[in-house]
Amino acid sequence: MQTLTAAEAGLISCHVCHALACRPTNSHGRIECPRCGAHIHSRIPGSIRDTWCYLIAAIVLYIPANVYPIMSVVWLGKGEPATILEGVVQLIEEGMWPLALIVFVASIFIPLLKMVVLAFLLISVQRKSTWRLVDRTRLYRLTEFVGRWSMVDIFVIAILAALVQFGSLASIEPGIGSLSFAAVVVLTMFAAHRFDPRLIWDACND
Amino acid sequence: MTNSYNTTLIACHDCDLLQRLPAIRSPGKVNCARCGATLQRYSRNSLDRSLALAVSGLLLFFVSNLLPFLALNAQGRVQDSSLLSSSMILWQEGNIFLGLLVFATTFLFPLFSLLAILYLLAPLKFGKRPRFSIHVFRYLQSTEPWGMLEIFMLATLVAVVKLGDIATVIPGPAMYAFSLLIVVLAALSISLDPQLIWHRLDRQCKR
């Protein structure tokens, strides 16, 4: 298959409206999309650096997110704080298998998968790897699509906190862990957004 | 603008491959020949359908937010909650970041996208071009992943089952409206054809 990328043809594709604009020969600094006015660039500037920054911040915050309790159930004045993992174990002990699975996948599996995949993609791009380009692009699309679903646990805590308000009898309070966990989700979403999958394919054009 | 741009060719946003778009727009998807990314999605009567779905979405959005969402009955004590109360409680208890995050993802961004779609499509339907349309559409496209109502729906199910042991959960009328809203939003995201809207905005712009 004969292939020509937009960059090789001297064109820039707008990431917002997908219009193809010609790259000006005397371009200093920012170029605007002729159709929608967004700042356009052949590749996201500083993509690898920025993605690493968001990713490292997410990895660091992932530790307190798992060590500290994300939620405590205060029952008759006694608090029962639980971390993400303890929450999953509790659900299994109570026999709620499907719920345990949802929480496990959304809160433990997806964030870990996302961070590992992004680190792998970044390293492979930096090493200019030409290994399984299509699969790596698919992997990127998967992480980008699936990342938002980690918010489930945060929403569950918010709903429970709003609903279980029985004063001294019972109440549910979010813990420090939930703050770090929310930050991890947001940061990995930023990281995935900042990563430019076209860099994967540039390795085979060099 | 004096700069020209090409609309018969498209570069894949994932692998930058240049390819020619099919001349006939039949309902379905166009995928990248090299990496398989979805380049374009066509749907029949995109404009009319999206407009209708956005109107019903907005109505359902108001109903879901104004009526009681869930109630909890624990040994005779009943606690009501609305959709917004989950972010309000977090905010009041000093979790400002979490409160804002939940508020933005379940209220602000979904409301903005519904209003923006109406603001753009209603005038386009009658061949007019609303003011700031390009800015509005740009923001609409970039804030899309931050509307998380469908995730909130899953969270509601998890919370309801979790509480089922301790107390009786009574679904409020907003719960039904909210479930419908999720369906409408999913249909809306399928029927909306960004490329068509850009094309229409273009045509209006040239005199």
Side-chain angles (χ1 to χ4, degrees):
Chain A
M1 187 171 69
Q2 192 196 354
T3 59
L4 182 67
T5 63
E8 288 166 338
L11 297 168
I12 301 179
S13 164
C14 173
H15 61 103
V16 180
C17 74
H18 291 218
L20 270 178
C22 292
R23 185 171 34 217
T25 41
N26 55 342
S27 64
H28 297 292
R30 299 183 142 181
I31 312 167
E32 281 187 358
C33 170
R35 173 149 73 179
C36 74
H39 291 295
I40 53 172
H41 24 65
S42 190
R43 300 291 177 265
I44 298 172
S47 167
I48 291 179
R49 180 199 57 203
D50 293 1
T51 312
W52 268 124
C53 287
Y54 286 127
L55 184 60
I56 289 168
I59 292 171
V60 170
L61 280 171
Y62 189 67
I63 300 165
N66 279 284
V67 171
Y68 289 107
I70 60 161
M71 178 174 81
S72 46
V73 183
V74 186
W75 193 253
L76 295 168
K78 274 189 288 181
E80 236 181 279
T83 62
I84 296 177
L85 202 60
E86 283 166 0
V88 175
V89 173
Q90 271 172 19
L91 284 174
I92 295 176
E93 281 170 353
E94 287 164 26
M96 299 191 213
W97 273 100
L99 278 204
L101 195 66
I102 292 177
V103 176
F104 177 78
V105 170
S107 312
I108 297 173
F109 184 67
I110 291 179
L112 266 180
L113 177 88
K114 209 174 163 181
M115 289 187 288
V116 170
V117 165
L118 278 175
F120 163 70
L121 289 176
L122 281 167
I123 292 168
S124 67
V125 162
Q126 282 177 318
R127 298 185 60 182
K128 300 199 188 309
S129 159
T130 53
W131 182 73
R132 302 179 82 159
L133 297 159
V134 177
D135 289 335
R136 272 158 60 212
T137 314
R138 280 202 192 119
L139 211 52
Y140 169 71
R141 281 201 288 270
L142 180 75
T143 54
E144 202 195 18
F145 169 77
V146 97
R148 312 156 64 230
W149 287 89
S150 300
M151 281 294 283
V152 161
D153 231 12
I154 300 295
F155 289 151
V156 170
I157 295 166
I159 295 167
L160 291 181
L163 214 49
V164 185
Q165 296 267 318
F166 296 100
S168 55
L169 192 66
S171 68
I172 283 175
E173 283 160 17
I176 319 166
S178 60
L179 190 64
S180 335
F181 185 73
V184 170
V185 179
V186 172
L187 284 167
T188 50
M189 277 179 74
F190 282 146
H193 182 70
R194 204 64 198 157
F195 182 76
D196 195 335
R198 291 171 295 189
L199 294 173
I200 298 173
W201 292 86
D202 283 345
C204 71
N205 297 327
D206 288 343
Chain B
M1 297 276 181
T2 48
N3 286 357
S4 62
Y5 52 89
N6 197 324
T7 47
T8 53
L9 284 177
I10 193 168
C12 173
H13 49 87
D14 278 358
C15 75
D16 212 28
L17 182 72
L18 273 181
Q19 21 206 320
R20 203 173 298 282
L21 284 168
I24 303 162
R25 292 164 63 94
S26 56
K29 300 193 288 188
V30 178
N31 288 341
C32 171
R34 183 160 74 166
C35 76
T38 304
L39 297 178
Q40 297 220 331
R41 182 180 275 121
Y42 305 125
S43 84
R44 205 169 273 136
N45 289 333
S46 168
L47 215 59
D48 290 350
R49 263 189 213 186
S50 311
L51 200 54
L53 287 168
V55 171
S56 41
L58 198 62
L59 289 174
L60 288 170
F61 186 84
F62 282 121
V63 174
S64 331
N65 274 289
L66 292 175
L67 297 178
F69 186 62
L70 278 176
L72 196 62
N73 185 341
Q75 282 137 21
R77 291 181 64 172
V78 177
Q79 176 75 43
D80 242 359
S81 85
S82 71
L83 262 180
L84 268 179
S85 59
S86 37
S87 49
M88 307 268 252
I89 293 285
L90 289 175
W91 176 279
Q92 279 165 11
E93 285 179 353
N95 276 301
I96 293 167
F97 173 74
L98 280 185
L100 272 181
L101 188 65
V102 175
F103 178 73
T105 49
T106 62
F107 186 83
L108 213 56
F109 286 127
L111 180 63
F112 167 75
S113 45
L114 282 171
L115 287 176
I117 290 171
L118 279 180
Y119 178 77
L120 289 168
L121 294 193
L124 277 182
K125 170 83 184 125
F126 300 104
K128 294 200 180 69
R129 184 169 183 242
R131 293 188 70 188
F132 309 113
S133 52
I134 281 175
H135 295 268
V136 173
F137 197 39
R138 229 166 67 195
Y139 286 119
L140 177 66
Q141 299 227 288
S142 51
T143 56
E144 207 194 348
W146 294 96
M148 300 190 178
L149 285 181
E150 72 279 22
I151 302 172
F152 193 86
M153 182 83 221
L154 179 65
T156 310
L157 295 179
V158 173
V160 165
V161 178
K162 228 174 174 172
L163 286 172
D165 272 12
I166 321 163
T168 321
V169 185
I170 310 149
M175 183 71 167
Y176 300 103
F178 186 71
S179 317
L180 278 176
L181 176 62
I182 301 303
V183 177
V184 167
L185 286 180
L188 180 59
S189 75
I190 294 171
S191 75
L192 201 67
D193 180 348
Q195 230 40 51
L196 177 77
I197 297 173
W198 283 120
H199 189 70
R200 288 285 181 107
L201 288 175
D202 264 11
R203 215 170 54 186
Q204 303 299 328
C205 157
K206 283 168 195 153
R207 288 166 200 140

